[in-house]
Amino acid sequence: HAMPHGLRDPLRRRIVPGVWVNTTAVQETKRAALAAHRSQQEWLDVSQQINEYMLTMERFASDLGRMSRRFKFAEGWRRHLHYGFCSEDADPLAIALRQNYLQNKQYEASLESD
């Protein structure tokens, strides 16, 4: 599950990801793709007065990178419940992304029930 816009929930509480994905090597590509998305820029300017949306994307990626304590830029993700999809310990992103994937052990521990 992707991080919410602003990295906060609707009640302004900070959301911590369960996983960080290193996006440092693709940050320029992300920037170019976002710049090419003119309708998104126009919609954000009108609906939310976000006229610096590229800087906002950069700031969120930088914040998540700092939060990871490993990556310069990152995206944050939370895994969905595994029922109906795979075994509980399956983590195909960890296998695919290897050194560009960092699990938040503290987040995972917080999910354990008593």
Side-chain angles (χ1 to χ4, degrees), residues 42 60 69 113:
E42 292 167 7
F60 292 160
R69 296 187 176 149
S113 60

Side-chain angles (χ1 to χ4, degrees), residues 37-97:
H37 200 327
R38 297 283 180 221
S39 63
Q40 179 77 0
Q41 179 181 9
E42 292 167 7
W43 179 78
L44 288 170
D45 285 349
V46 171
S47 69
Q48 299 174 42
Q49 291 77 46
I50 299 177
N51 56 11
E52 298 291 333
Y53 76 114
M54 300 232 328
L55 294 175
T56 301
M57 180 274 295
E58 195 87 12
R59 188 177 76 245
F60 292 160
S62 178
D63 287 351
L64 285 162
R66 261 192 313 284
M67 196 184 295
S68 77
R69 296 187 176 149
R70 183 182 295 177
F71 308 129
K72 181 175 180 181
F73 295 103
E75 291 181 354
W77 299 90
R78 293 172 288 154
R79 292 182 351 181
H80 281 268
L81 193 60
H82 66 284
Y83 298 140
F85 297 104
C86 59
S87 66
E88 185 173 4
D89 62 344
D91 196 348
L93 278 181
I95 295 165
L97 297 174

